[in-house]
Amino acid sequence: MGRTTWYDDEGLKKGEWTAEEDRMLVAYINEYGLGDWRAMPKRAGLQRCGKSCRLRWLNYLRPGIKRGKFTPQEEKDIIKFHSLLGNRWAAIAKEMPNRTDNDIKNHWNSCLKKRLVRSGIDPMTHQPVVNVKANSSSTTSSPTLTPSSSSTTSSFSSTSSSRLLNRLAAEISSRKQGFDRIKNVILSEPRQAVKEDALMISSKEEEEEVKGCFMEIDNNLISTTSLYELLSEPYDMYQSDFGLEVDDQFDLFLEIPSLGQDLS
DNA sequence: AACCTTCGCAACCGCAAGGAT
DNA sequence: CATCCTTGCGGTTGCGAAGGT
């Protein structure tokens, strides 16, 4: 894979780097170190511009670069840092020292961004996309949902269910969509919604578990207290990952009137 | 098998920031 | 202070590979 080799007006080579060019650049930097990128190509015997050499070194040749597929944890990190830093790829790359900004940018643009969109999340704001045509079932006052300190009777304590519920909470927290509609959105295409979710739920078992969770919600078999406790894990996750004092999504979740109507 | 589309990734370009003169 | 130069960044493009029809 690579670009066609060509020469610009000044006779400088463009396009794909050869193994020999790589070797020459590395040999030069190993001997003389990094310095004047403009003068470097000539000194290293390369017919390249300094910019091209710098890019090749930073994105491909320098030691310690991790290449290949991004792990789920790395993808989670990218999403997390992007939510905090935006398109500042160099800043994100500083938080992930083994990955280049170019690599991170490429992966975001070619994969993660689309995945978030498919999951109903705006990749720039990291908030649920509000569908204007969606019916809004409630705008009234909040129910009083009091967290219980007693142990839950819920059978859903796994990370996967909690994460999906957290996503549900995030969608609800927009307060622009009805609870029933949100449930339907996730239930109508569970495989798509779950597997492509930014939170990387991947197994069939997890998917079934999530479906079961929503069935319990539908049948009023799960209490608001249980939901509260289910959400405590992602709440902690948000706190540790983002260093937030208060999880706004969680607080908003407690204000959803329709939730109280459905589940109390 | 041929064609088309999508994906993944390396590399290019233009612009802005910051330092040197 | 103004101008020039270098470096670094982010957006975009080009191209082969992979997958789908």
Side-chain angles (χ1 to χ4, degrees), chain A residues 151-211:
Chain A
S151 64
T152 178
T153 53
S154 168
S155 59
F156 303 107
S157 57
S158 77
T159 303
S160 56
S161 285
S162 299
R163 285 178 179 174
L164 237 295
L165 277 168
N166 190 53
R167 180 181 156 198
L168 175 62
E171 295 215 33
I172 294 170
S173 75
S174 72
R175 291 186 285 189
K176 300 278 177 63
Q177 301 188 42
F179 184 57
D180 286 335
R181 184 187 171 277
I182 293 163
K183 279 191 293 183
N184 289 336
V185 165
I186 296 176
L187 280 169
S188 63
E189 287 188 300
R191 184 178 296 275
Q192 195 77 352
V194 171
K195 284 198 169 179
E196 294 177 359
D197 191 278
L199 297 167
M200 302 304 296
I201 294 166
S202 57
S203 73
K204 180 74 179 167
E205 289 71 26
E206 288 173 334
E207 184 184 314
E208 290 302 321
E209 188 181 7
V210 169
K211 280 193 211 171

Side-chain angles (χ1 to χ4, degrees), chain A residues 205-252:
Chain A
E205 289 71 26
E206 288 173 334
E207 184 184 314
E208 290 302 321
E209 188 181 7
V210 169
K211 280 193 211 171
C213 184
F214 282 112
M215 282 173 65
E216 293 228 350
I217 293 172
D218 286 335
N219 296 325
N220 292 344
L221 296 176
I222 184 169
S223 68
T224 49
T225 302
S226 298
L227 267 178
Y228 182 96
E229 294 201 13
L230 283 171
L231 281 161
S232 65
E233 184 181 331
Y235 179 58
D236 291 340
M237 186 179 80
Y238 267 98
Q239 275 201 317
S240 60
D241 283 357
F242 293 98
L244 299 176
E245 292 292 323
V246 176
D247 184 345
D248 290 335
Q249 291 183 346
F250 187 77
D251 290 337
L252 289 166

Side-chain angles (χ1 to χ4, degrees), chain A residues 110-128:
Chain A
S110 67
C111 184
L112 297 180
K113 190 161 82 174
K114 291 172 189 169
R115 192 184 296 164
L116 287 180
V117 168
R118 283 197 295 263
S119 299
I121 296 171
D122 185 323
M124 295 316 291
T125 64
H126 292 261
Q127 296 298 311

Side-chain angles (χ1 to χ4, degrees), chain A residues 32-51:
Chain A
Y32 301 103
L34 297 171
D36 188 345
W37 286 111
R38 192 178 165 85
M40 182 184 290
K42 208 165 189 177
R43 291 176 185 160
L46 290 160
Q47 268 186 288
R48 295 274 182 175
C49 66
K51 217 171 179 177

